[in-house]
Amino acid sequence: MSSDDVRLADLPLREDLRGRTPYGAPQLEVPVRLNTNENPFPPPGELVEDVTAAVREAAADLHRYPDRDAVELRRDLAGYLSGATGVPLSERNLWAANGSNEILQQLLQAFGGTGRTALGFEPSYSMHPIIAAGTRTEWLPAPRRPDFTLDAARAAEIVTERGPDVVFVTSPNNPTGGSIPLSELEPVLRAAPGIVVVDEAYAEFSAQPSAVRLLEDYPAKLVVSRTMSKAFAFAGGRVGYLAAAPAIVDALQLVRLPYHLSVMTQAAARAALRHAGATLASVARLAAERDRVVEALRGLGFAPVPSDANFVLFGLFADAPVSWRSYVDNGVLIRDVGIEGHLRVTIGTPEENDAFLAASKEVPR
Ligand code: PMP
């Protein structure tokens, strides 16, 4: 018997994982890839040089484990986030991990788990229920309005009724694009008996203020999760982070693997942060491109959902999977997020967006 003869179904896998499918957007080789909400502009040359020099220097220490607590990286992230939000933060308020997905997993390892629940307003980021399943946290789906906005009063009622240990609020919401104003977040925070995670992966693209401003008022409940994968053009570097009370950081230290952030990751992220100004200059360009794409889609008779992120959910399609395939055949990879009649496009470079709009004229509706 060769190792290829062993089938997944034959393994003593946890019963609750049987039959599940892994997260994953198709990674297809097509000319225009607008499916994973990355920043389409490559990092500036000075950043590439600085990251290279920082990693070269770090390589001299590769025989040693990294700083287990990533203190300097957390200090730099605190500096960036304080500057961006106007809220004073120190490294004690910051925690970092390999992408915000790992941050979210650590949060559910610490605050979810067997016998506990996590609630999210759907449709939203599909990894939230997947991470809940992986950590054996029962997932409680709650609705949004038919136009995908969050009804804050209703959301607070549901949170009161269900009493979840963890609530996820994604703002701007992926895949629908809208943000929640802080005045509407507060009723949810007041109602929540446990932790509220505001997933701000796309915050830099939004005009709404960050929930970081509410940390002072809800220190025992609120966690704001962010990432360098989107606006920061650092998706390949794998760094996400959170801002919260220092006690929440202490809680995550109980579940994190030691030395989870490599010497190279820490050095590269710190170098990339030194160029935040140059990288984030693309945010305004992308927001302008997003508005152009939305207008053009409207002009073509589509119904785009209002977005303040770097992607747009749009419809209506009689058969979204068929139309998705037709986009691929036209050389454009976008995302079928499983919302009936809709597809999601990431905002790319002006040329990529033009290719997407040209394909939009060809696909069946
Ligand atoms: N949160 C949201 C809402 C996202 O869309 C994503 C990426 N698709 C993430 C978190 C995780 O991203 P990363 O692990 O790269 O930080």
Side-chain angles (χ1 to χ4, degrees), residues 32-287:
V32 178
R33 282 182 290 171
L34 301 173
N35 67 330
T36 45
N37 296 349
E38 294 140 321
N39 190 323
F41 298 110
E46 317 86 74
L47 184 155
V48 174
E49 288 307 315
D50 207 3
V51 166
T52 307
V55 170
R56 179 177 298 124
E57 204 182 309
D61 273 330
L62 276 177
H63 60 310
R64 299 290 182 196
Y65 281 113
D67 174 8
R68 202 174 43 216
D69 297 332
V71 174
E72 289 178 326
L73 172 58
R74 285 160 59 201
R75 190 174 301 139
D76 291 352
L77 288 166
Y80 161 69
L81 199 54
S82 294
T85 61
V87 177
L89 296 164
S90 83
E91 67 275 11
R92 296 178 63 239
N93 302 106
L94 268 285
W95 181 244
N98 294 284
S100 52
N101 281 326
E102 189 178 30
I103 292 282
L104 301 176
Q105 176 168 278
Q106 291 178 347
L107 284 164
L108 285 186
Q109 285 175 324
F111 298 107
T114 309
R116 293 194 167 207
T117 57
L119 181 146
F121 302 95
E122 297 189 339
S124 188
Y125 182 39
S126 58
M127 275 306 293
H128 295 159
I130 293 177
I131 295 172
T135 58
R136 296 206 154 175
T137 312
E138 186 189 343
W139 180 250
L140 304 177
R144 288 172 173 269
R145 292 193 185 99
D147 68 357
F148 307 120
T149 57
L150 195 63
D151 179 341
R154 181 76 194 112
E157 272 171 26
I158 295 172
V159 168
T160 303
E161 279 162 25
R162 310 293 313 257
D165 298 285
V166 179
V167 177
F168 286 100
V169 179
T170 315
S171 184
N173 188 46
N174 179 14
T176 58
S179 299
I180 178 170
L182 298 190
S183 59
E184 296 189 16
L185 187 58
E186 284 206 71
V188 177
L189 276 159
R190 280 196 294 271
I195 299 290
V196 176
V197 180
V198 181
D199 185 339
E200 290 193 352
Y202 302 95
E204 282 89 352
F205 296 104
S206 170
Q208 290 286 341
S210 165
V212 166
R213 292 210 194 157
L214 297 177
L215 279 175
E216 203 179 53
D217 297 332
Y218 303 90
K221 289 185 178 181
L222 177 58
V223 176
V224 183
S225 162
R226 313 265 294 214
T227 183
M228 290 182 68
S229 294
K230 310 298 179 179
F232 263 105
F234 200 68
R238 309 304 300 129
V239 172
Y241 56 102
L242 63 71
I248 300 231
V249 174
D250 292 345
L252 298 195
Q253 302 237 2
L254 301 174
V255 296
R256 62 104 173 89
L257 295 175
Y259 317 110
H260 65 300
L261 282 172
S262 81
V263 165
M264 266 106 57
T265 302
Q266 294 187 40
R270 295 190 68 210
L273 278 167
R274 288 197 284 276
H275 298 270
T279 320
L280 295 177
S282 62
V283 167
R285 290 169 74 189
L286 288 168

